[in-house]
Amino acid sequence: MLEIKKKEFEIEEPVQLKDEQDNLIYEFTMQITAEELSEIKKIIFEDAEKMGKSYAKANNQEKEKLEKDIENKIKSKSDRFEDICFKEHKSPFREKAGQYKYEELVENMMGFFINFFVEKQLKQVNIGFMNLKKFMNK
């Protein structure tokens, strides 16, 4: 039987900013709904796949234009990604952490979601492979 559970938040992760002495400076819980998770997946993977195919076929002039387009899309989508992850905590966190640490956390969040989606895909492949092995051993 396949079972899927719908939750209010698909991801709830605590995020903490601490100083060198491990004193808590700022804390919030990143809460991501299923719809937001779907949007994050598109932000991370959709354009890269489409642009990669065009880039491979392009000449040098077209590649330069595509690179600028990719850069602009990444910037606009990065803003949306940050809005989804931080919500009302975006400005307060940035003020307390500073721009460099804020950007570092955004990169870490991006890595977190890439790993999340990759692990989810691998889990599905492993389940299918294990079911096939059981079937073949009968």
Side-chain angles (χ1 to χ4, degrees), residues 69-111:
D69 289 347
I70 290 169
E71 198 173 301
N72 290 335
K73 283 188 177 197
I74 288 171
K75 175 62 179 146
S76 69
K77 290 190 174 202
S78 177
D79 289 343
R80 179 63 187 138
F81 175 79
E82 292 168 27
D83 290 343
I84 293 170
C85 294
F86 285 93
K87 294 181 176 59
E88 69 275 6
H89 301 282
K90 186 175 178 178
S91 291
F93 188 91
R94 183 184 278 157
E95 288 170 15
K96 299 235 186 231
Q99 188 62 30
Y100 178 79
K101 287 296 178 184
Y102 173 79
E103 289 172 3
E104 185 177 328
L105 179 59
V106 170
E107 289 173 9
N108 288 340
M109 287 177 166
M110 187 70 72

Side-chain angles (χ1 to χ4, degrees), residues 32-83:
I32 308 295
T33 65
E35 291 76 24
E36 290 170 331
L37 198 56
S38 177
E39 191 173 350
I40 287 172
K41 187 175 184 179
K42 286 179 185 174
I43 288 169
I44 294 173
F45 297 110
E46 189 176 56
D47 284 335
E49 188 177 320
K50 289 178 187 174
M51 295 291 223
K53 291 175 184 175
S54 301
Y55 192 82
K57 297 175 185 175
N59 64 32
N60 286 342
Q61 230 176 4
E62 292 168 338
K63 284 183 179 182
E64 286 179 29
K65 185 184 180 309
L66 279 171
E67 287 168 5
K68 287 179 184 172
D69 289 347
I70 290 169
E71 198 173 301
N72 290 335
K73 283 188 177 197
I74 288 171
K75 175 62 179 146
S76 69
K77 290 190 174 202
S78 177
D79 289 343
R80 179 63 187 138
F81 175 79
E82 292 168 27
D83 290 343

Side-chain angles (χ1 to χ4, degrees), residues 117-131:
F117 292 121
V118 168
E119 286 176 12
K120 199 169 193 154
Q121 288 298 314
L122 289 175
K123 184 178 178 185
Q124 291 173 0
V125 169
N126 285 338
I127 289 171
F129 180 71
M130 295 306 289
N131 288 340

